[in-house]
Amino acid sequence: MISLASLLDSPRFSDIKLLTNRDQTPLDKEIKSVDISDTPDIEHYIPEGVFLLTTAMIYKDDQSALIPLIDSLIRADAVGLGIKLGRFLNGHLDPKVIHYAEQVQFPIFAIPDGYSLGELLHQLMSNIWGTQFEEVSFALDIQSKFSNLLIQNASNEVIINELAKTIKTPTILLSPYREIISHSRHFNNSSNSARLYVDQLIQLMDDEKKTKGSFIVKNTKGQQFQVSVTPIKVYNYFPHYLVILKPEQIPYPISSFAIDQAATVLSFILFKNEKVAESRFAIETDYFKEMVDNNYKTDTNLTLQEPNMKHGYILSNFYQAAHVFESSAISQNKLTHLQEELLQLAFKWIKKNITHYFANTVVIQFQNTKEIVVLFQQQDPNLTKKLSDMATDIKEKLPLELVFSLGNPYYKWEQISQSYTEAKLVFDERRQNEQSDQILHYEDKGMLQLFNNLDKNDVTFFCQNILKDFANTEDPTLIDLRKTLTVYLDSQCEIASTASKLFVHRNTVKYRIQRCEGILGHDVSSPEHSLNLRLALSLIDEIK
């Protein structure tokens, strides 16, 4: 990299003089290109980082017009202005122009008469190209070195330490949850932990609403210094982050291009590690599917200890399955790419952190639907609260609302499939009824479950045919009679038990039941009618 400072300090360009005060005009900016122009309206025609050369011919009668030119160069992010004073300005630049340039911290140089601007441009560009060639060469070396580490199956920790060793500055790798995956050895024996800087960085990223670039953090002594953040794309919406402390101290010829090359190779390594992990997760999911589909062979040659040997399953007297999904995706037939990514990251977060909430669990995910299943293998009296806490904690990391659909607990591992089936039924009902409750439990509906897949119109017709005037009524008298009929049937058609539950006299119950039988046209306690009545009374509440 060639900067304005190195330009002044180079013997080759020692006769180029700085007209503005060196203390008032920073010279650390990189010269990315050089251009020549004698026109005032060039703001939109020059690239970023240009060092502009001019004869100032059009300003010979009014040097104050150079001030708007300086403003336009600042807006275009130019690094400096070189003026050949002798040809049109009589070797003198108006002090007002110099003073203004110092105020806005924009450096101005005097180009000696002995230079032609074309020759100077060629010399400067040759120097820049030579520097860039060295930087590109170093970047390619970096790429080759890290590619070899990729082939050698190096861990994230090895990669980060090698990068920190190469660029000679502390380095941190963050996950999409902005948690530390690994950091260089610089932090091992330091009073300034990686966590100290990452906590500050996360707050700054949130406050400034940006995910890359430079940030200012403090150490334990309150000293400020710069950190740079480079996103590393493994996921489209939620990248990993490469954090480099004190990037301004990185020695030449290491450039931003070299860092980008290292980040690119690191993205391949992370992607490969993600795919290896997904392959392992797929094996665990296939094993679970076998159990759910009753394909797990339990013949006499198979010992019950086998589940204890695979994928975290243990022999226990408690098994309960929970179906986990994202609230906003429940009503959608097809997930968006963002939702798929959120559920995938949620699964990995739960799998990694589940032990902070529950002991002896198995976590799997179905890749096609992204549905997550958590199998609890130990009873926990605080299950509901801990699930809520887990959803709250993950919401701090990812923008999603988790919902849980739970099956009943069972006491044999062969019944895991039954608990999962119940959890899935709860989720299907949640989706059908668009229920947003965070945690729902399975309720056994017995024979009512048989009506789940029937057409609603058919169920309505059945209820109206059985219940007649009781099917859809707002008449308080009929509603009261229907309530009595329901309690009577639930009490096995016993008058005394019904009267006790309703807090009425036995004769009142007899009278009401007689009226019900008059409306329905048959004996309600007869076996051929009582079952239909009980089903219809239950279903009529379900379909309202």
Side-chain angles (χ1 to χ4, degrees):
M1 179 183 76
I2 179 170
S3 64
L4 293 171
S6 61
L7 174 69
L8 285 177
D9 296 337
S10 170
R12 184 176 183 181
F13 304 109
S14 60
D15 46 356
I16 296 177
K17 302 298 181 185
L18 180 66
L19 296 176
T20 50
N21 188 308
R22 188 161 186 163
D23 294 332
Q24 293 178 266
T25 47
L27 303 176
D28 57 343
K29 289 188 175 180
E30 177 187 359
I31 302 174
K32 296 181 180 179
S33 64
V34 184
D35 206 345
I36 300 173
S37 178
D38 277 322
T39 59
D41 186 20
I42 59 169
E43 176 183 348
H44 303 293
Y45 305 101
I46 55 175
E48 176 186 338
V50 70
F51 180 43
L52 185 68
L53 307 178
T54 182
T55 63
M57 176 180 65
I58 64 172
Y59 305 102
K60 63 180 180 178
D61 297 324
D62 181 16
Q63 290 194 27
S64 63
L66 282 164
I67 291 176
L69 174 66
I70 292 171
D71 289 336
S72 70
L73 291 176
I74 292 172
R75 288 193 298 270
D77 206 16
V79 298
L81 176 64
I83 304 176
K84 192 172 182 180
L85 297 177
R87 186 169 182 185
F88 296 106
L89 302 186
N90 299 319
H92 173 76
L93 186 62
D94 189 337
K96 292 180 181 178
V97 175
I98 297 174
H99 178 65
Y100 180 78
E102 290 172 344
Q103 282 185 316
V104 295
Q105 298 186 326
F106 188 78
I108 299 178
F109 296 84
I111 308 298
D113 286 345
Y115 280 105
S116 75
L117 294 187
E119 177 188 359
L120 180 59
L121 180 146
H122 178 73
Q123 291 178 4
L124 287 170
M125 289 305 297
S126 295
N127 194 288
I128 292 170
W129 286 333
T131 301
Q132 289 177 344
F133 175 78
E134 191 172 355
E135 290 177 352
V136 169
S137 178
F138 185 82
L140 292 175
D141 289 342
I142 287 271
Q143 186 185 49
S144 175
K145 178 179 181 179
F146 281 82
S147 295
N148 287 334
L149 290 173
L150 170 62
I151 294 170
Q152 294 166 15
N153 201 28
S155 65
N156 294 329
E157 185 177 359
V158 169
I159 297 294
I160 290 300
N161 273 304
E162 282 298 319
L163 178 59
K165 180 180 176 182
T166 301
I167 64 179
K168 297 179 171 51
T169 192
T171 307
I172 304 169
L173 178 63
L174 302 182
S175 73
Y177 320 108
R178 298 187 296 189
E179 296 173 346
I180 297 173
I181 294 178
S182 57
H183 59 70
S184 59
R185 296 188 185 94
H186 295 85
F187 300 99
N188 289 353
N189 298 311
S190 172
S191 59
N192 296 291
S193 66
R195 182 80 264 160
L196 170 72
Y197 299 124
V198 169
D199 287 343
Q200 294 180 62
L201 182 60
I202 291 172
Q203 187 63 53
L204 289 168
M205 291 170 74
D206 290 340
D207 291 345
E208 299 179 24
K209 292 181 172 52
K210 65 178 187 177
T211 57
K212 63 179 180 180
S214 297
F215 301 85
I216 301 297
V217 297
K218 296 180 181 179
N219 60 17
T220 52
K221 296 180 180 179
Q223 298 170 323
Q224 293 185 335
F225 59 89
Q226 187 181 37
V227 298
S228 71
V229 177
T230 303
I232 299 177
K233 285 292 187 77
V234 178
Y235 297 96
N236 285 336
Y237 296 97
F238 302 95
H240 291 67
Y241 300 96
L242 179 63
V243 180
I244 297 174
L245 278 66
K246 301 179 181 179
E248 73 279 2
Q249 296 182 11
I250 295 177
Y252 177 82
I254 301 172
S255 64
S256 58
F257 181 52
I259 300 298
D260 288 342
Q261 289 298 299
T264 299
V265 176
L266 188 56
S267 71
F268 283 122
I269 293 171
L270 290 169
F271 182 78
K272 181 208 69 174
N273 292 343
E274 290 285 331
K275 291 305 176 183
V276 169
E278 287 176 15
S279 176
R280 185 177 73 251
F281 299 152
I283 294 172
E284 296 173 3
T285 301
D286 289 342
Y287 185 82
F288 180 82
K289 284 180 180 178
E290 288 183 1
M291 301 180 73
V292 170
D293 295 339
N294 294 319
N295 291 328
Y296 195 88
K297 305 302 182 183
T298 54
D299 55 38
T300 55
N301 296 322
L302 184 67
T303 62
L304 288 179
Q305 278 70 30
E306 186 165 357
N308 197 29
M309 305 294 288
K310 290 185 178 182
H311 314 308
Y313 293 91
I314 65 170
L315 290 175
S316 174
N317 62 355
F318 183 90
Y319 297 97
Q320 186 174 15
H323 181 286
V324 187
F325 211 61
E326 208 279 312
S327 178
S328 69
I330 290 175
S331 59
Q332 295 179 210
N333 293 325
K334 182 175 176 58
L335 298 175
T336 65
H337 192 77
L338 172 61
Q339 289 168 334
E340 286 186 352
E341 200 165 291
L342 277 170
L343 282 166
Q344 193 167 352
L345 287 170
F347 160 68
K348 291 179 180 178
W349 189 92
I350 293 172
K351 194 168 183 67
K352 178 183 176 183
N353 295 283
I354 191 73
T355 54
H356 298 160
Y357 306 90
F358 303 100
N360 297 321
T361 56
V362 175
V363 184
I364 64 105
Q365 183 178 43
F366 295 102
Q367 279 305 306
N368 290 339
T369 61
K370 303 302 177 187
E371 297 167 88
I372 303 166
V373 176
V374 179
L375 177 67
F376 304 100
Q377 301 177 109
Q378 180 175 317
Q379 189 169 9
D380 192 318
N382 299 313
L383 175 67
T384 299
K385 182 182 183 304
K386 287 184 178 180
L387 286 176
S388 180
D389 290 344
M390 186 168 72
T392 300
D393 292 343
I394 197 170
K395 188 178 178 181
E396 294 179 359
K397 307 291 183 181
L398 296 168
L400 82 170
E401 297 272 359
L402 289 183
V403 292
F404 304 89
S405 307
L406 279 77
N408 286 324
Y410 289 91
Y411 307 103
K412 295 181 179 180
W413 67 266
E414 295 94 337
Q415 296 174 300
I416 290 173
S417 61
Q418 190 167 340
S419 185
Y420 166 71
T421 301
E422 292 171 351
K424 191 67 168 64
L425 285 171
V426 175
F427 173 71
D428 291 341
E429 185 175 333
R430 177 198 289 276
R431 170 171 277 172
Q432 182 179 354
N433 299 329
E434 298 183 358
Q435 293 173 281
S436 58
D437 299 36
Q438 185 180 61
I439 301 172
L440 291 177
H441 293 263
Y442 177 77
E443 296 180 7
D444 191 355
K445 298 180 181 179
M447 291 186 66
L448 296 183
Q449 198 67 46
L450 299 174
F451 291 82
N452 274 356
N453 297 320
L454 291 181
D455 185 270
K456 186 176 180 180
N457 292 329
D458 292 339
V459 176
T460 301
F461 176 78
F462 169 79
C463 293
Q464 291 173 342
N465 187 50
I466 297 297
L467 298 177
K468 297 185 171 37
D469 292 348
F470 292 131
N472 296 298
T473 181
E474 296 181 359
D475 185 333
T477 302
L478 290 177
I479 291 173
D480 197 34
L481 287 174
R482 193 173 76 181
K483 179 180 178 182
T484 300
L485 176 61
T486 302
V487 176
Y488 179 71
L489 292 170
D490 288 343
S491 302
Q492 310 304 318
C493 300
E494 293 183 359
I495 297 291
S497 176
T498 305
S500 176
K501 291 177 182 177
L502 292 174
F503 302 102
V504 296
H505 195 272
R506 289 165 52 95
N507 290 339
T508 302
V509 174
K510 287 182 180 179
Y511 171 73
R512 290 180 181 177
I513 295 301
Q514 287 173 357
R515 286 200 61 188
C516 290
E517 290 176 340
I519 292 171
L520 296 171
H522 57 73
D523 179 5
V524 297
S525 61
S526 65
E528 63 268 28
H529 292 122
S530 61
L531 176 59
N532 284 339
L533 283 170
R534 295 184 68 178
L535 277 173
L537 286 167
S538 298
L539 286 168
I540 198 67
D541 294 328
E542 292 287 324
I543 62 177
K544 281 184 178 179

